[in-house]
Structure formats: structure tokens, C-alpha cells
Amino acid sequence: MGNTVGSKFFFKTAEDYYILGLWLADGYWRSSSVGLTSVNPKLINKFINFLQRVSSDHTIKKRIYEVKEGNKRKQTAFQIYVNSRSLTRLFMSYKTGVLDIPYYHLMAYLAGRIDGDGHIDTKHRSGIRIAYSSEEDAKRDQKLFGNTNVSLYQYKAAGTFVLYLKKSYREQISQEIKKYSLKLAP
């Protein structure tokens, strides 16, 4: 009765929920593979450690997209993934289903989202924003954090939705988020 990959109750720790937030932001998936694409080696290493822990019987594969003359790429990008139908099903159930994240792991999940698709404005102190390509995804997170704590805007020209953490909420949770976030770490 162990905790097998694909189990409905797989995500249990703060680190697991951080990875879920990160994957929902920068995740990679195909029919039988799941992974992460990022230009940040620290995020890639964090995801590799997660995959080694939960899917040690599967080979972790890596693709590197180098900066080359003539292409639009400005930074080297990494794609880390495993071929595992059960792990893919698990992640996809969170991508398309209801997010049921325990309150005590919500800040870890938010930190993953911020590290993946978020921006922290430290220069002008306007706060934290998270970009989404899907309105459904953005509204789902808006519900998680509460309509009074965040504002959701649609930028039609860019084809994105952006969730802004209101200043009072941001100040209330910033120390807790810093425990998990690589972007907010000192």
C-alpha cells in the first residue's frame, strides 16, 4: 500500500506542491512523457531531484537548446523529462482538473508558480505577477488565493492573463513564499 506514482494522493509535501506549481507554469508533456523546460539551471536541478525521487525506475532524459547565430534564442534552454504514462497522467489530472491544495502547502505551490512564470518587481515595488496562457488556469489560481487577495487582468494583444498579488496580501505572505522560492531567495 505504498505511495506509487500515479496515485491520486501523490503530492504530499511542500516540495511536491512547489514542483506542481513550477510544472503548471513551465511544464512539458506529451502522450507518455512529462518534464520541465526552463532556462534556469537551478529550477532544472530541482525538477531532476524530484524526478529521481518519484520515478527512479525511469531514465531522466535531457535536451539542451543552445543559443545559435540566426535563431531567436537568447539563452540556453533545458528540457528535462521522463517517459512515464502514470506520472504523466498524474500531472495532467492537476492540469485539467480541480486543484485541491491544502492551505498549509499553498505558499509552496505559489512559489513554484512564481519561479516558473512569475515576475517580482523589486525596483518599483509594484509586486508579484504571474502570467498564464489560459484563462481557465488563471481563474483556478485566483480562486485558490482568493478574489480579495489578487487581481486578474487579460492582455489581449499579448494573449495572456496576469494575476497580480495585491500589496497587502503580498506583504502578508512574502516571508512564507521566500522559504520555497528560488527567485525570492536572498
Coordinates of all heavy atoms in Angstrom, one line a residue, residues 76-152:
T76 N 20.4 29.6 -23.3 CA 20.3 28.2 -23.4 C 19.1 27.7 -22.6 O 18.9 28.1 -21.5 CB 21.6 27.5 -22.9 OG1 22.7 28.0 -23.7 CG2 21.6 26.0 -23.0
A77 N 18.4 26.8 -23.2 CA 17.2 26.3 -22.6 C 17.4 24.8 -22.4 O 18.0 24.1 -23.2 CB 15.9 26.5 -23.4
F78 N 16.8 24.3 -21.3 CA 16.9 22.9 -20.9 C 15.5 22.3 -20.8 O 14.6 22.9 -20.3 CB 17.6 22.7 -19.6 CG 18.9 23.4 -19.5 CD1 19.0 24.7 -19.0 CD2 20.1 22.7 -19.9 CE1 20.3 25.3 -18.9 CE2 21.3 23.4 -19.8 CZ 21.4 24.7 -19.3
Q79 N 15.4 21.0 -21.3 CA 14.2 20.3 -21.2 C 14.5 19.0 -20.5 O 15.3 18.2 -21.0 CB 13.6 20.1 -22.6 CG 12.2 19.5 -22.5 CD 11.6 19.4 -23.9 OE1 12.0 18.5 -24.6 NE2 10.6 20.2 -24.1
I80 N 13.9 18.7 -19.4 CA 14.1 17.5 -18.6 C 12.8 16.8 -18.6 O 11.8 17.3 -18.3 CB 14.5 17.9 -17.2 CG1 15.8 18.7 -17.1 CG2 14.7 16.6 -16.3 CD1 17.0 18.0 -17.8
Y81 N 12.9 15.4 -18.9 CA 11.6 14.7 -18.9 C 11.9 13.2 -18.7 O 13.0 12.7 -18.8 CB 10.9 14.9 -20.2 CG 11.6 14.4 -21.4 CD1 11.2 13.2 -22.0 CD2 12.6 15.1 -22.0 CE1 11.9 12.7 -23.1 CE2 13.2 14.7 -23.2 CZ 12.8 13.4 -23.7 OH 13.5 13.0 -24.8
V82 N 10.8 12.5 -18.3 CA 10.8 11.0 -18.2 C 9.7 10.5 -19.0 O 8.6 11.2 -19.1 CB 10.7 10.5 -16.8 CG1 11.9 10.9 -15.9 CG2 9.5 11.0 -16.1
N83 N 9.8 9.3 -19.6 CA 8.7 8.6 -20.2 C 8.1 7.8 -19.2 O 8.6 6.7 -18.8 CB 9.3 7.8 -21.4 CG 9.8 8.6 -22.5 OD1 9.2 9.7 -22.8 ND2 10.8 8.2 -23.2
S84 N 6.9 8.2 -18.7 CA 6.2 7.5 -17.7 C 4.7 7.9 -17.8 O 4.3 9.0 -17.6 CB 6.7 7.9 -16.3 OG 5.8 7.4 -15.3
R85 N 3.9 6.9 -18.3 CA 2.5 7.2 -18.5 C 1.8 7.5 -17.2 O 1.0 8.4 -17.1 CB 1.8 6.0 -19.2 CG 2.2 5.8 -20.6 CD 1.4 4.7 -21.2 NE 1.9 4.3 -22.5 CZ 1.6 4.9 -23.7 NH1 0.8 5.9 -23.7 NH2 2.1 4.5 -24.8
S86 N 2.1 6.8 -16.1 CA 1.5 7.1 -14.8 C 1.8 8.4 -14.3 O 0.9 9.1 -13.8 CB 1.8 6.0 -13.8 OG 3.2 5.9 -13.6
L87 N 3.0 8.8 -14.4 CA 3.4 10.2 -13.9 C 2.8 11.3 -14.8 O 2.3 12.3 -14.3 CB 5.0 10.3 -13.9 CG 5.5 11.6 -13.2 CD1 5.1 11.6 -11.8 CD2 7.0 11.5 -13.3
T88 N 2.7 11.0 -16.1 CA 2.1 12.0 -17.0 C 0.6 12.1 -16.6 O 0.1 13.2 -16.6 CB 2.3 11.5 -18.5 OG1 3.7 11.4 -18.7 CG2 1.6 12.5 -19.4
R89 N -0.1 11.0 -16.4 CA -1.5 11.0 -16.0 C -1.7 11.8 -14.7 O -2.6 12.6 -14.6 CB -2.1 9.6 -15.9 CG -2.5 9.0 -17.2 CD -3.3 7.7 -16.9 NE -2.6 6.7 -16.1 CZ -1.8 5.8 -16.6 NH1 -1.6 5.7 -17.9 NH2 -1.3 4.9 -15.8
L90 N -0.8 11.6 -13.8 CA -0.9 12.3 -12.5 C -0.8 13.8 -12.7 O -1.7 14.6 -12.3 CB 0.2 11.8 -11.5 CG 0.3 12.7 -10.2 CD1 -0.9 12.4 -9.4 CD2 1.6 12.3 -9.5
F91 N 0.2 14.3 -13.4 CA 0.4 15.7 -13.6 C -0.8 16.3 -14.4 O -1.3 17.3 -14.1 CB 1.7 16.0 -14.3 CG 2.9 16.2 -13.4 CD1 3.8 15.1 -13.2 CD2 3.1 17.4 -12.8 CE1 4.8 15.3 -12.3 CE2 4.1 17.6 -11.9 CZ 5.0 16.5 -11.7
M92 N -1.2 15.6 -15.5 CA -2.3 16.1 -16.3 C -3.6 16.1 -15.5 O -4.4 17.0 -15.8 CB -2.4 15.2 -17.6 CG -1.3 15.3 -18.5 SD -0.9 17.0 -19.0 CE -2.4 17.5 -19.9
S93 N -3.8 15.3 -14.5 CA -5.0 15.4 -13.7 C -5.0 16.7 -13.0 O -6.1 17.3 -12.8 CB -5.1 14.2 -12.8 OG -4.1 14.3 -11.7
Y94 N -3.9 17.3 -12.6 CA -3.8 18.6 -12.0 C -3.9 19.7 -13.0 O -4.4 20.8 -12.7 CB -2.6 18.7 -11.2 CG -2.6 18.0 -9.9 CD1 -2.0 16.7 -9.8 CD2 -3.3 18.5 -8.8 CE1 -2.1 16.0 -8.6 CE2 -3.3 17.8 -7.6 CZ -2.7 16.5 -7.5 OH -2.8 15.8 -6.3
K95 N -3.5 19.4 -14.2 CA -3.5 20.5 -15.3 C -5.0 20.7 -15.7 O -5.4 21.9 -16.0 CB -2.7 20.0 -16.5 CG -2.7 21.0 -17.6 CD -1.4 21.7 -17.7 CE -1.4 22.6 -18.9 NZ -1.0 24.0 -18.5
T96 N -5.8 19.7 -15.8 CA -7.1 19.8 -16.3 C -8.2 19.7 -15.2 O -9.3 20.0 -15.5 CB -7.4 18.7 -17.4 OG1 -7.2 17.4 -16.8 CG2 -6.4 18.9 -18.6
G97 N -7.9 19.2 -14.1 CA -8.9 19.0 -13.1 C -8.9 20.1 -12.0 O -8.3 21.2 -12.2
V98 N -9.6 19.8 -11.0 CA -9.7 20.8 -9.9 C -8.4 20.7 -9.0 O -7.9 19.6 -8.7 CB -10.9 20.4 -9.0 CG1 -11.0 21.3 -7.7 CG2 -12.2 20.5 -9.8
L99 N -7.9 21.9 -8.7 CA -6.8 21.9 -7.8 C -7.2 21.9 -6.4 O -7.9 22.8 -5.9 CB -5.9 23.2 -8.1 CG -5.0 23.2 -9.2 CD1 -4.3 24.5 -9.3 CD2 -4.0 22.1 -9.1
D100 N -6.8 20.9 -5.6 CA -7.2 20.8 -4.2 C -5.9 20.8 -3.5 O -5.3 19.7 -3.2 CB -8.0 19.5 -4.0 CG -8.5 19.4 -2.6 OD1 -8.6 20.4 -1.9 OD2 -8.8 18.3 -2.2
I101 N -5.4 22.0 -3.1 CA -4.2 22.1 -2.4 C -4.4 22.5 -1.0 O -5.1 23.4 -0.7 CB -3.3 23.2 -3.1 CG1 -3.0 22.8 -4.6 CG2 -2.0 23.4 -2.3 CD1 -2.3 23.8 -5.4
P102 N -3.9 21.7 -0.1 CA -4.1 22.0 1.3 C -3.5 23.4 1.6 O -2.5 23.8 1.1 CB -3.2 21.0 2.1 CG -3.0 19.9 1.1 CD -3.0 20.5 -0.3
Y103 N -4.3 24.1 2.5 CA -3.9 25.5 2.8 C -2.4 25.6 3.2 O -1.7 26.6 2.9 CB -4.8 26.1 3.9 CG -4.5 27.5 4.3 CD1 -4.9 28.5 3.4 CD2 -3.8 27.8 5.4 CE1 -4.5 29.8 3.8 CE2 -3.5 29.1 5.8 CZ -3.8 30.1 4.9 OH -3.5 31.4 5.2
Y104 N -2.0 24.7 4.0 CA -0.6 24.8 4.6 C 0.5 24.5 3.5 O 1.7 24.7 3.8 CB -0.4 23.8 5.8 CG -0.9 22.4 5.6 CD1 -0.1 21.5 5.0 CD2 -2.2 22.1 5.9 CE1 -0.6 20.2 4.8 CE2 -2.7 20.8 5.7 CZ -1.9 19.9 5.2 OH -2.3 18.6 5.0
H105 N 0.1 24.1 2.3 CA 1.0 24.0 1.2 C 0.8 25.0 0.1 O 1.5 25.0 -1.0 CB 1.0 22.6 0.6 CG 1.5 21.5 1.5 ND1 2.7 21.7 2.2 CD2 1.0 20.3 1.8 CE1 2.9 20.6 2.9 NE2 1.9 19.8 2.7
L106 N -0.1 25.9 0.3 CA -0.5 26.9 -0.7 C 0.7 27.8 -1.1 O 0.9 28.1 -2.3 CB -1.7 27.7 -0.3 CG -2.4 28.5 -1.3 CD1 -2.9 27.6 -2.5 CD2 -3.6 29.1 -0.7
M107 N 1.5 28.2 -0.1 CA 2.6 29.1 -0.4 C 3.7 28.4 -1.2 O 4.4 29.1 -2.0 CB 3.1 29.7 0.9 CG 2.1 30.7 1.6 SD 1.5 32.0 0.6 CE -0.1 31.5 0.3
A108 N 3.9 27.2 -0.9 CA 4.9 26.4 -1.7 C 4.5 26.3 -3.1 O 5.3 26.5 -4.1 CB 5.1 25.0 -1.1
Y109 N 3.2 26.0 -3.4 CA 2.6 26.0 -4.7 C 2.8 27.4 -5.4 O 3.2 27.4 -6.5 CB 1.2 25.6 -4.7 CG 0.4 25.8 -6.0 CD1 0.6 24.8 -7.0 CD2 -0.4 26.9 -6.2 CE1 -0.1 25.0 -8.2 CE2 -1.0 27.0 -7.4 CZ -0.9 26.1 -8.4 OH -1.5 26.3 -9.6
L110 N 2.5 28.4 -4.7 CA 2.6 29.8 -5.2 C 4.0 30.1 -5.6 O 4.3 30.7 -6.6 CB 2.0 30.8 -4.2 CG 2.1 32.3 -4.6 CD1 1.4 32.5 -6.0 CD2 1.6 33.2 -3.5
A111 N 5.0 29.7 -4.7 CA 6.4 29.9 -5.0 C 6.8 29.2 -6.3 O 7.6 29.7 -7.1 CB 7.2 29.4 -3.8
G112 N 6.3 28.0 -6.5 CA 6.6 27.3 -7.8 C 6.0 28.0 -9.0 O 6.7 28.1 -10.0
R113 N 4.8 28.5 -8.9 CA 4.2 29.3 -9.9 C 5.0 30.6 -10.2 O 5.3 30.9 -11.4 CB 2.8 29.7 -9.6 CG 1.7 28.7 -9.9 CD 1.6 28.5 -11.4 NE 0.3 27.9 -11.6 CZ -0.2 27.8 -12.8 NH1 0.4 28.3 -13.9 NH2 -1.4 27.1 -13.0
I114 N 5.5 31.3 -9.2 CA 6.2 32.5 -9.3 C 7.6 32.2 -10.0 O 8.0 32.8 -10.9 CB 6.5 33.2 -8.0 CG1 5.1 33.8 -7.4 CG2 7.5 34.2 -8.0 CD1 5.2 34.2 -6.0
D115 N 8.2 31.1 -9.5 CA 9.5 30.8 -10.1 C 9.4 30.4 -11.6 O 10.3 30.6 -12.3 CB 10.2 29.6 -9.3 CG 10.8 30.1 -8.0 OD1 10.7 31.3 -7.7 OD2 11.3 29.3 -7.2
G116 N 8.3 29.8 -11.9 CA 8.1 29.4 -13.3 C 7.7 30.5 -14.2 O 8.4 30.8 -15.2
D117 N 6.6 31.1 -13.9 CA 6.0 32.2 -14.8 C 5.8 33.5 -14.1 O 5.0 34.3 -14.6 CB 4.7 31.7 -15.4 CG 4.9 30.9 -16.7 OD1 6.0 31.0 -17.3 OD2 4.0 30.1 -17.1
G118 N 6.4 33.7 -13.0 CA 6.2 34.9 -12.3 C 7.3 35.9 -12.4 O 8.3 35.6 -13.0
H119 N 7.0 37.1 -12.0 CA 7.9 38.2 -12.0 C 7.8 39.0 -10.7 O 6.7 39.3 -10.3 CB 7.7 39.2 -13.2 CG 8.5 40.4 -13.2 ND1 9.9 40.3 -13.5 CD2 8.3 41.6 -12.8 CE1 10.4 41.5 -13.4 NE2 9.4 42.3 -13.0
I120 N 8.9 39.3 -10.1 CA 9.0 40.0 -8.9 C 9.6 41.4 -9.2 O 10.8 41.4 -9.6 CB 9.7 39.3 -7.7 CG1 9.0 38.0 -7.4 CG2 9.8 40.2 -6.5 CD1 9.8 36.8 -7.9
D121 N 8.9 42.4 -9.0 CA 9.4 43.7 -9.3 C 10.0 44.3 -8.0 O 9.2 44.7 -7.1 CB 8.3 44.7 -9.8 CG 8.8 46.0 -10.2 OD1 10.0 46.3 -10.0 OD2 8.0 46.8 -10.7
T122 N 11.3 44.3 -7.9 CA 11.9 44.8 -6.7 C 12.3 46.3 -6.9 O 12.5 47.0 -5.9 CB 13.2 44.0 -6.3 OG1 14.0 43.9 -7.5 CG2 12.8 42.6 -5.9
K123 N 12.4 46.7 -8.1 CA 12.9 48.1 -8.4 C 11.8 49.1 -8.1 O 12.0 50.1 -7.4 CB 13.3 48.2 -9.9 CG 13.9 49.5 -10.2 CD 14.3 49.5 -11.6 CE 14.9 50.9 -12.0 NZ 15.4 50.9 -13.4
H124 N 10.6 48.8 -8.6 CA 9.5 49.8 -8.4 C 8.5 49.3 -7.3 O 7.5 50.0 -6.9 CB 8.7 50.0 -9.7 CG 9.5 50.5 -10.7 ND1 10.1 49.8 -11.7 CD2 9.9 51.8 -11.0 CE1 10.8 50.5 -12.5 NE2 10.7 51.8 -12.1
R125 N 8.7 48.2 -6.7 CA 7.9 47.6 -5.7 C 6.5 47.5 -6.0 O 5.6 47.6 -5.2 CB 8.1 48.4 -4.4 CG 9.5 48.4 -3.9 CD 9.6 49.0 -2.5 NE 10.9 49.3 -2.1 CZ 11.7 48.3 -1.5 NH1 11.3 47.1 -1.4 NH2 12.9 48.7 -1.2
S126 N 6.2 47.2 -7.3 CA 4.8 47.0 -7.7 C 4.3 45.6 -7.4 O 3.1 45.4 -7.4 CB 4.6 47.3 -9.2 OG 5.4 46.4 -9.9
G127 N 5.2 44.8 -7.1 CA 4.8 43.5 -6.6 C 5.1 42.3 -7.4 O 6.1 42.2 -8.1
I128 N 4.3 41.3 -7.2 CA 4.4 40.0 -7.9 C 3.3 39.8 -8.8 O 2.2 40.0 -8.5 CB 4.4 38.9 -6.8 CG1 5.6 39.0 -5.8 CG2 4.5 37.5 -7.5 CD1 5.6 38.1 -4.6
R129 N 3.7 39.3 -10.0 CA 2.7 39.0 -11.0 C 3.0 37.6 -11.6 O 4.2 37.2 -11.7 CB 2.6 40.0 -12.1 CG 3.8 40.2 -12.9 CD 3.6 41.3 -14.0 NE 4.7 41.3 -14.9 CZ 4.8 40.7 -16.0 NH1 3.8 40.0 -16.4 NH2 5.8 40.8 -16.8
I130 N 2.0 36.9 -12.0 CA 2.2 35.6 -12.6 C 1.4 35.6 -13.9 O 0.2 35.9 -14.0 CB 1.6 34.4 -11.7 CG1 2.3 34.5 -10.3 CG2 1.9 33.1 -12.3 CD1 1.6 33.7 -9.3
A131 N 2.1 35.2 -15.0 CA 1.4 35.2 -16.3 C 0.9 33.8 -16.6 O 1.5 32.8 -16.3 CB 2.5 35.5 -17.4
Y132 N -0.2 33.7 -17.3 CA -0.9 32.5 -17.7 C -1.3 32.6 -19.2 O -1.7 33.7 -19.7 CB -2.2 32.3 -16.9 CG -2.0 32.2 -15.4 CD1 -1.8 33.3 -14.7 CD2 -2.0 31.0 -14.8 CE1 -1.7 33.3 -13.3 CE2 -1.8 30.9 -13.4 CZ -1.6 32.0 -12.7 OH -1.5 31.9 -11.3
S133 N -1.2 31.5 -19.9 CA -1.7 31.5 -21.3 C -3.2 31.1 -21.4 O -3.8 31.3 -22.4 CB -0.8 30.5 -22.1 OG -0.9 29.2 -21.6
S134 N -3.7 30.6 -20.3 CA -5.1 30.1 -20.3 C -5.9 30.8 -19.2 O -5.5 30.9 -18.1 CB -5.1 28.6 -20.0 OG -6.2 28.1 -19.4
E135 N -7.0 31.3 -19.6 CA -7.9 32.0 -18.7 C -8.4 31.0 -17.6 O -8.5 31.4 -16.4 CB -9.1 32.6 -19.4 CG -10.1 33.3 -18.5 CD -11.2 34.0 -19.2 OE1 -11.5 33.6 -20.4 OE2 -11.9 34.9 -18.6
E136 N -8.7 29.8 -18.0 CA -9.1 28.8 -17.0 C -8.1 28.6 -15.9 O -8.4 28.5 -14.7 CB -9.4 27.5 -17.8 CG -9.9 26.4 -16.9 CD -10.0 25.0 -17.6 OE1 -10.5 25.1 -18.8 OE2 -9.7 24.0 -17.1
D137 N -6.8 28.5 -16.3 CA -5.7 28.2 -15.4 C -5.6 29.4 -14.5 O -5.4 29.3 -13.2 CB -4.5 28.0 -16.2 CG -3.4 27.3 -15.5 OD1 -3.7 26.6 -14.4 OD2 -2.2 27.4 -15.9
A138 N -5.7 30.6 -15.0 CA -5.6 31.8 -14.2 C -6.7 32.0 -13.2 O -6.5 32.3 -12.0 CB -5.5 33.1 -15.1
K139 N -7.9 31.7 -13.6 CA -9.1 31.8 -12.7 C -9.0 30.7 -11.6 O -9.5 30.9 -10.5 CB -10.4 31.7 -13.5 CG -10.7 33.0 -14.3 CD -12.0 32.9 -15.0 CE -12.3 34.3 -15.5 NZ -13.7 34.3 -16.2
R140 N -8.5 29.6 -12.0 CA -8.4 28.5 -11.0 C -7.4 28.9 -9.9 O -7.7 28.7 -8.7 CB -7.8 27.2 -11.7 CG -8.1 26.0 -11.0 CD -7.8 24.8 -11.8 NE -6.4 24.8 -12.3 CZ -5.8 23.8 -12.8 NH1 -6.4 22.7 -12.9 NH2 -4.5 23.9 -13.2
D141 N -6.3 29.6 -10.2 CA -5.4 30.1 -9.2 C -6.0 31.3 -8.4 O -5.8 31.4 -7.2 CB -4.0 30.5 -9.8 CG -3.1 29.3 -9.9 OD1 -3.5 28.1 -9.6 OD2 -1.9 29.5 -10.3
Q142 N -6.7 32.1 -9.1 CA -7.4 33.2 -8.5 C -8.3 32.7 -7.4 O -8.3 33.3 -6.3 CB -8.2 34.0 -9.5 CG -8.9 35.3 -8.9 CD -9.7 36.0 -10.0 OE1 -10.1 35.5 -11.0 NE2 -9.8 37.3 -9.8
K143 N -9.0 31.6 -7.6 CA -9.9 31.0 -6.6 C -9.0 30.5 -5.4 O -9.4 30.7 -4.2 CB -10.7 29.9 -7.1 CG -11.9 30.3 -7.9 CD -12.7 29.0 -8.3 CE -13.7 29.4 -9.3 NZ -14.4 28.2 -9.8
L144 N -7.9 29.9 -5.7 CA -7.0 29.4 -4.6 C -6.6 30.5 -3.7 O -6.5 30.3 -2.5 CB -5.8 28.7 -5.2 CG -5.9 27.3 -5.8 CD1 -4.6 26.9 -6.4 CD2 -6.3 26.3 -4.7
F145 N -6.2 31.6 -4.3 CA -5.6 32.7 -3.4 C -6.6 33.7 -2.9 O -6.4 34.5 -2.1 CB -4.5 33.4 -4.2 CG -3.4 32.5 -4.7 CD1 -3.2 32.4 -6.0 CD2 -2.8 31.6 -3.8 CE1 -2.2 31.5 -6.5 CE2 -1.8 30.7 -4.3 CZ -1.6 30.7 -5.6
G146 N -7.8 33.6 -3.5 CA -8.9 34.5 -3.0 C -9.1 35.7 -3.8 O -8.1 36.4 -4.1
N147 N -10.3 36.0 -4.3 CA -10.5 37.2 -5.1 C -10.1 38.5 -4.4 O -9.8 39.5 -5.1 CB -12.0 37.3 -5.5 CG -12.4 36.2 -6.5 OD1 -11.5 35.7 -7.2 ND2 -13.6 35.8 -6.4
T148 N -10.2 38.5 -3.1 CA -9.8 39.8 -2.4 C -8.3 39.9 -2.3 O -7.8 41.0 -2.0 CB -10.4 39.8 -1.0 OG1 -9.9 38.7 -0.3 CG2 -11.9 39.8 -1.0
N149 N -7.5 38.9 -2.6 CA -6.1 38.9 -2.4 C -5.3 39.2 -3.7 O -4.1 39.5 -3.7 CB -5.5 37.6 -1.8 CG -6.0 37.4 -0.4 OD1 -6.2 38.4 0.4 ND2 -6.4 36.2 -0.1
V150 N -6.0 38.9 -4.8 CA -5.3 39.0 -6.1 C -6.3 39.7 -7.1 O -7.5 39.7 -7.0 CB -4.9 37.6 -6.7 CG1 -3.9 37.0 -5.8 CG2 -6.1 36.7 -6.9
S151 N -5.7 40.2 -8.2 CA -6.4 40.8 -9.3 C -6.0 40.1 -10.6 O -4.9 39.8 -10.8 CB -6.1 42.3 -9.4 OG -6.5 43.0 -8.3
L152 N -7.0 39.8 -11.4 CA -6.7 39.2 -12.7 C -7.0 40.1 -13.9 O -8.1 40.7 -13.9 CB -7.6 37.9 -12.8 CG -7.5 37.1 -14.1 CD1 -6.1 36.6 -14.3 CD2 -8.5 36.0 -14.1

